[in-house]
Amino acid sequence: MPITIEWTREEIESYPVLRDVLKIGKEEGFKEGLQQGLVEGIRQSLIETIELKFSYVADDLREKINQISDVNQLRELHKKVILANSLDDIF
């Protein structure tokens, strides 16, 4: 059976190790959230660019884009879309 312990901010601050662990966890969570937001924003921009340039985005292409989580790969793909003459030039 799990036990729940409630701590006040003052109690947490009085334990340097606990305070530091929580601070590190918050920082890592914040960075991860920023990264996920950046990836989602680039994906959306990429899909919108394809829609504007080629009038539609096929479901399989949309799925391929949504599988990419590397920011640099998404940025490179966005450049390819801008320079592409057809959807075949993208992948």
Side-chain angles (χ1 to χ4, degrees):
M1 171 183 275
I3 298 173
T4 302
I5 300 173
E6 294 185 23
W7 295 62
T8 65
R9 183 180 192 101
E10 291 79 24
E11 289 172 323
I12 292 171
E13 291 295 324
S14 69
Y15 292 94
V17 173
L18 182 58
R19 180 189 62 222
D20 293 345
V21 166
L22 290 174
K23 182 179 177 185
I24 290 168
K26 283 173 56 177
E27 289 173 0
E28 288 177 2
F30 182 73
K31 288 177 185 175
E32 186 176 318
L34 283 176
Q35 182 71 13
Q36 289 174 350
L38 179 61
V39 166
E40 269 308 307
I42 297 171
R43 283 177 182 157
Q44 187 60 37
S45 178
L46 183 54
I47 290 169
E48 288 174 0
T49 302
I50 294 169
E51 286 175 339
L52 284 170
K53 190 161 185 176
F54 301 110
S55 301
Y56 77 99
V57 180
D59 290 339
D60 63 327
L61 180 55
R62 190 179 302 265
E63 183 62 31
K64 281 183 182 180
I65 292 168
N66 286 327
Q67 294 297 318
I68 301 170
S69 58
D70 180 81
V71 171
N72 292 326
Q73 188 178 357
L74 287 166
R75 286 182 174 151
E76 288 302 313
L77 186 56
H78 194 255
K79 291 175 190 175
K80 284 179 80 173
V81 168
I82 291 169
L83 298 172
N85 292 319
S86 74
L87 288 172
D88 293 332
D89 295 339
I90 297 172
F91 282 101

